[in-house]
């Protein structure tokens, strides 16, 4: 067991000479009252210290002792001689004290020691602690994956058999190339193998064995393309890349796919193959090890080359969205509108170029990143694009607000070999 420092009372600086003199005297006598420098009463306080002065009491175990000394002092902080000192303890089962101020550590706990003289009382608190006898580390025998983590805990049990808290615990890995451990006991897997993790408190150690095996733990999942734009009735395979915290790609990660809106798009749960069934949006999610990545999919009606369609009425400042699938190696793509009422604006976007599609009339094509935006008055507009990139082109028809809704216009996409 150990005793803490005596606190909170400290000797006043002007009484230092008296304390030093008392220490010398006590070395050869049992008197525990402090002598010079002297002053007249009354006694206003009783100061308590140890022999030697300010001795650290942290090394006491049951049965060991510390000699305390008391100094009755007046208002000026001077020693008042001729005072009888009476000693007492609040808990003799923890710390006992005799009439001469000899304190004995008995068992774990705290006790208040009081010294009374001349009607004044001084106190100090003494704590007795059993040293740590056992350290138990849990859990043990666990398996984690590379870059995975496991939180260990250390229970400190004193020599009296009681679990104690507040003791300093130091963690270490005997095989840091296999697994490391933080100052708080968090184990991180490095490479396959077994590692012994130790927790040490007051020179006593406990240990646990941790096995590292298997692919790294997934930290991120990225879905590509992130914003697929697809025509109704078409199919596309999305890809998911699972990565560890270090950035290492985990090629054997098991990916599970889901769709937030199967009425618009379904996805094969194992392969990531997406089928678009209707116009609208759906979030496609890929999950591995509980970590998810998403893609924001939009499905739109597809245009067949050379076949004119009449969009439903487009309310002022609203959009109608269409898709054109352009195979590789085509020489030109033409998008044209004609007829009807209102004022329609065409915005054509190359594959992979996102559109803000906000319900405002942009001032220029660059506002939305469109590849082509004629901005003609009326409904006769044409975009002619040479050597179009292969993929799904997006066509936004915008009803310019001041002209009201767009009704009865026709839209034609032509793809030439």
């Amino acid at each position: 067991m150990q005793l803490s420092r005596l606190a909170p009372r400290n000797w006043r600086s002007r009484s230092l000479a008296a304390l030093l003199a008392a220490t010398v005297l006590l070395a050869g006598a049992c008197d525990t009252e402090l002598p010079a420098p002297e002053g007249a009463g009354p006694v206003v306080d009783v100061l308590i210290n140890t022999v030697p002065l300010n001795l650290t009491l942290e090394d006491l175990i049951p049965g060991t002792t510390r000699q305390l000394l008391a100094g009755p002092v007046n208002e000026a902080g001077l020693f008042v001689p001729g005072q009888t000192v009476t000693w007492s303890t609040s808990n003799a089962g923890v710390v006992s004290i005799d009439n001469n101020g000899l304190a004995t550590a008995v068992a774990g706990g705290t006790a208040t020691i009081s010294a009374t003289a001349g009607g004044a009382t001084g106190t100090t608190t003494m704590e007795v602690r059993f040293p740590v006898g056992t350290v138990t580390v849990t859990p043990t025998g666990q398996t984690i994956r590379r870059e995975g983590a496991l939180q260990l805990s250390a229970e400190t049990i004193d020599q009296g058999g009681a679990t104690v808290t507040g003791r300093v615990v130091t963690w270490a890995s005997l095989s840091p190339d296999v697994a490391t451990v933080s100052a708080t006991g968090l184990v991180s897997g490095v490479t396959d193998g077994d590692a012994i993790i130790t927790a040490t408190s007051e020179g006593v150690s406990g240990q646990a064995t941790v096995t590292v095996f298997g692919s790294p733990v997934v930290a991120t999942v990225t879905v590509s393309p992130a914003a697929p734009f697809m025509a109704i009735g078409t199919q596309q395979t999305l890809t998911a890349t699972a990565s560890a915290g270090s950035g290492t790609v985990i090629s054997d990660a098991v990916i599970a796919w889901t769709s937030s809106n199967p009425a618009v798009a379904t996805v094969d749960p194992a392969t990531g193959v997406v089928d678009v069934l209707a116009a609208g949006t759906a979030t496609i999610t890929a999950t591995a090890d509980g970590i998810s990545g998403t893609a924001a999919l939009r499905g739109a009606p597809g245009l067949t080359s050379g076949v004119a369609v009449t969009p439903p009425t487009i309310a002022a400042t609203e959009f109608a969205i269409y898709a054109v699938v352009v195979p590789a190696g085509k020489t030109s793509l033409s998008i044209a509108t004609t007829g009807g009422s209102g004022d329609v604006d065409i915005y054509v976007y190359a594959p992979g170029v996102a559109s803000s599609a906000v319900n405002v009339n942009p001032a220029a094509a660059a506002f939305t990143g469109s590849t082509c935006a004629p901005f003609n008055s009326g409904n006769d507009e044409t975009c002619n694009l040479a050597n179009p990139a292969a993929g799904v082109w997006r066509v936004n028809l915008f009803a310019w607000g001041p002209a009201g809704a767009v009704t009865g216009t026709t839209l034609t996409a032509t793809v030439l070999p």
Side-chain angles (χ1 to χ4, degrees), residues 312-321 343-345 347 357-361 396-401 404-406:
T313 297
I314 307 170
T317 71
E318 296 291 336
F319 283 88
I321 302 174
D343 187 349
V344 70
D345 289 323
Y347 300 93
V358 292
N359 292 336
V360 296
N361 187 23
N396 284 4
L397 302 183
F398 177 71
W400 188 58
V406 171

Side-chain angles (χ1 to χ4, degrees), residues 231-235 275-278:
I232 297 171
T234 62
Q235 187 179 82
D275 287 282
V276 176
L277 307 180

Side-chain angles (χ1 to χ4, degrees), residues 346-358 362-373 375 393-394 396:
I346 298 176
Y347 300 93
V348 180
Y349 300 87
V353 178
S355 165
S356 62
V358 292
F367 182 85
T368 55
S370 58
T371 304
C372 175
F375 289 111
W393 287 71
R394 175 172 177 156
N396 284 4

Side-chain angles (χ1 to χ4, degrees), residues 140-159:
T140 188
Q142 298 294 302
T143 298
I144 60 175
R145 287 157 54 183
R146 296 193 299 276
E147 298 194 37
L150 174 66
Q151 181 64 58
L152 300 182
S153 62
E155 180 185 18
T156 50
I157 302 171
D158 66 23
Q159 291 179 359

Side-chain angles (χ1 to χ4, degrees), residues 2 15 129 163 186 225 231 283 302 335 340 344:
Q2 295 178 330
S15 299
R129 300 195 310 167
T163 298
L186 183 65
T283 299
I335 306 294
V344 70

Side-chain angles (χ1 to χ4, degrees), residues 88-241:
S88 63
T89 176
S90 67
N91 191 345
V94 173
V95 179
S96 66
I97 192 158
D98 67 13
N99 293 333
N100 295 316
L102 184 65
T104 301
V106 179
T110 59
T112 299
I113 304 301
S114 302
T116 301
T121 299
T123 62
T124 190
T125 299
M126 302 181 74
E127 180 182 5
V128 180
R129 300 195 310 167
F130 276 103
V132 171
T134 305
V135 177
T136 302
V137 180
T138 56
T140 188
Q142 298 294 302
T143 298
I144 60 175
R145 287 157 54 183
R146 296 193 299 276
E147 298 194 37
L150 174 66
Q151 181 64 58
L152 300 182
S153 62
E155 180 185 18
T156 50
I157 302 171
D158 66 23
Q159 291 179 359
T163 298
V164 291
T165 60
R167 307 299 173 91
V168 176
V169 175
T170 302
W171 293 90
S173 171
L174 301 187
S175 302
D177 56 327
V178 174
T180 61
V181 63
S182 72
T184 59
L186 183 65
V187 178
S188 299
V190 177
T191 190
D192 290 357
D194 294 326
I196 295 177
I197 308 299
T198 64
T200 302
S201 181
E202 298 176 9
V204 179
S205 296
Q207 66 182 41
T209 300
V210 176
T211 298
V212 180
F213 179 77
S215 298
V217 173
V218 175
T220 62
V221 175
T222 304
V223 179
S224 181
F229 178 65
M230 299 175 63
I232 297 171
T234 62
Q235 187 179 82
Q236 182 176 352
T237 300
L238 304 187
T239 60
T241 301

